Amino acid sequence: MKKYRIAMIPGDGVGKEVLAEGEKVLRAVQKVQDEFTIAFAEFPWGCDFYQQHGQMMPDDALQVLKEFDALYLGAVGDPSVPDHVSLWGLLLPIRKSFDQYVNLRPIQLLSDDLCPIKDKQTRHVDILFVRENTEGEYSGIGQIFNENTENEQVTQTSVFSRKGTERIIRYAFDRAMERRMKITAVTKSNALNYSMVYWDRLFKEIAAEYPLVETRLVHVDAMAMYMIRNPEQFDVVVASNLFGDILTDLGAAIQGGMGYAAGGNINPENAFPSMFEPIHGSAPDIAGTGQANPIASIWAASMMMAHLGETKAAKTIFQALKKVTADRRYRTPDSGGSATTAEVGSAVVSEIEKQF
Ligand code: NAI
Ligand code: MG
């Protein structure tokens, strides 16, 4: 029997609450399917750890995490620690060191009534966003000139390497081949006359390797408009770091809100473990009240099983998730209901048990 080792990093605030539900669901699917086992190890890193030790995670954290098959994260951040400290102290070092260059974000509507757009139903919203996760506009390169003078000037440099650009575009084409054979690349090559012209060129080069896939280049501003007006046009969307960051928040809104948006930070070559998480933060405004929506976190658990090759377990979790999301008794307050985090998690568990 296959055995997976999963590192759990609940982090802070609602991260702890929603991750506990994901763990509950994973234990349930492991039990009923009885074809693999999961060994969970939990690491209490985050802002509490920072208060005691002056750092978000220990010095050897990456060495420790490297040995796992996958990482399952809640959220990090607390009002007592500056956000750039918590982010650069845990999440970003993991993403960068483990070369998790794909940020995979399904924008799928699970129940008609959750969509804020008039007349859009589940069949209209099913987009797979593939966001570049390591370079582009977030390369961290820049300079300030003549600081504190009237000639003050700053630059922020985007970096698009051939290797970095090709690998993300190729990954997106491979996903399109498994789906509806359509891919849209987000660009802005009219204004960004170096970076995005290059992006378009490599997109066209790689498109030639996939003659069966229908391709399209759309400027980022128009993309924002189309995602609201006609989200049904899109299947796989590939975007640079900044454009993907912005458009996936818009995507979260059309799929029902932050409580429904899951993501994977993936190293497709499996040279390092990949990391799965709800994309929301620690939500200090509702932490500790039992009101957090655990759907995104459970969805991330399904993505993690798919990444590990456990397709059946991934589908079982996802089917249960769809059933529960469509049932208005199991709505947390962010979707207008009064169910608790644990009630929603337990409802997903009983749907999983019903499938066996
Ligand atoms: P947030 O995502 O924590 O909260 C934004 C809004 O969405 C709040 O009103 C919150 O109550 C609501 N919300 C979020 N998750 C929810 C859930 N599961 N169920 C119901 N409602 C939910 O973003 P915010 O407020 O900007 O950041 C709070 C903290 O989280 C900060 O310290 C920030 O740095 C950190 N953060 C961490 C992230 C991560 O670990 N990946 C991502 C985003 C923010
Ligand atoms: Mg973001």
Side-chain angles (χ1 to χ4, degrees), residues 45-307:
W45 303 335
C47 292
D48 291 341
F49 190 89
Y50 183 86
Q51 302 294 0
Q52 288 169 29
H53 306 277
Q55 53 195 81
M56 293 291 290
M57 56 184 187
D59 291 332
D60 65 350
L62 295 171
Q63 282 308 112
V64 171
L65 294 178
K66 208 166 155 254
E67 301 307 318
F68 286 83
D69 295 305
L71 318 179
Y72 188 35
L73 180 92
V76 288
D78 185 84
S80 65
V81 179
D83 284 343
H84 67 275
V85 172
S86 53
L87 190 66
W88 282 95
L90 200 151
L91 249 185
L92 293 187
I94 295 174
R95 285 184 184 159
K96 282 181 189 291
S97 312
F98 291 166
D99 202 19
Q100 296 168 342
Y101 64 84
V102 177
N103 189 232
L104 192 65
R105 286 273 292 101
I107 306 289
Q108 187 177 349
L109 180 66
L110 297 185
S111 177
D112 292 347
D113 66 300
L114 289 172
C115 191
I117 312 173
K118 183 161 65 86
D119 299 333
K120 295 297 175 197
Q121 286 123 30
T122 53
R123 67 194 159 90
H124 297 112
V125 184
D126 181 10
I127 309 173
L128 185 68
F129 254 89
V130 176
R131 167 188 167 193
E132 206 291 320
N133 215 18
T134 51
E135 54 169 41
E137 305 87 345
Y138 294 177
S139 300
I141 298 171
Q143 234 179 316
I144 181 155
F145 302 95
N146 306 320
E147 198 169 356
N148 300 320
T149 72
E150 63 180 21
N151 292 321
E152 205 165 37
Q153 195 177 345
V154 304
T155 61
Q156 179 92 42
T157 305
S158 297
V159 176
F160 289 82
S161 65
R162 176 169 277 275
K163 186 177 152 207
T165 308
E166 278 186 353
R167 68 184 183 177
I168 196 70
I169 292 174
R170 208 166 258 130
Y171 181 91
F173 269 99
D174 288 338
R175 300 292 78 70
M177 291 289 285
E178 299 161 355
R179 289 172 50 105
R180 303 191 299 276
M181 312 286 273
K182 285 206 302 194
I183 188 168
T184 303
V186 180
T187 186
K188 191 65 193 171
S189 48
N190 51 352
L192 297 171
N193 54 342
Y194 289 96
S195 61
M196 282 294 137
V197 168
Y198 186 64
W199 170 268
D200 292 3
R201 169 151 71 89
L202 296 199
F203 179 71
K204 286 174 194 160
E205 267 181 40
I206 293 165
E209 298 169 21
Y210 295 86
L212 297 176
V213 179
E214 188 186 319
T215 62
R216 193 171 158 199
L217 277 156
V218 176
H219 289 307
V220 62
D221 37 359
M223 189 69 194
M225 182 264 297
Y226 288 139
M227 279 176 68
I228 300 289
R229 290 185 67 108
N230 307 102
E232 64 275 12
Q233 299 176 38
F234 302 109
D235 177 15
V236 172
V237 175
V238 61
S240 63
N241 215 332
L242 170 68
F243 293 167
D245 189 6
I246 297 168
L247 293 173
T248 53
D249 262 29
L250 193 156
I254 67 175
Q255 68 185 141
M258 292 312 261
Y260 297 92
N265 301 279
I266 296 174
N267 174 262
E269 290 76 26
N270 290 321
F272 299 98
S274 296
M275 177 166 66
F276 298 84
E277 54 170 337
I279 71 151
H280 61 73
S282 55
D285 53 338
I286 58 164
T289 65
Q291 291 181 25
N293 185 345
I295 296 291
S297 172
I298 297 170
W299 195 335
S302 168
M303 292 175 72
M304 179 163 71
M305 295 319 290
H307 176 77

Side-chain angles (χ1 to χ4, degrees), residues 32-52:
V32 294
Q33 194 173 323
D34 199 25
E35 286 169 8
F36 58 86
T37 62
I38 302 176
F40 293 95
E42 192 170 317
F43 298 96
W45 303 335
C47 292
D48 291 341
F49 190 89
Y50 183 86
Q51 302 294 0
Q52 288 169 29

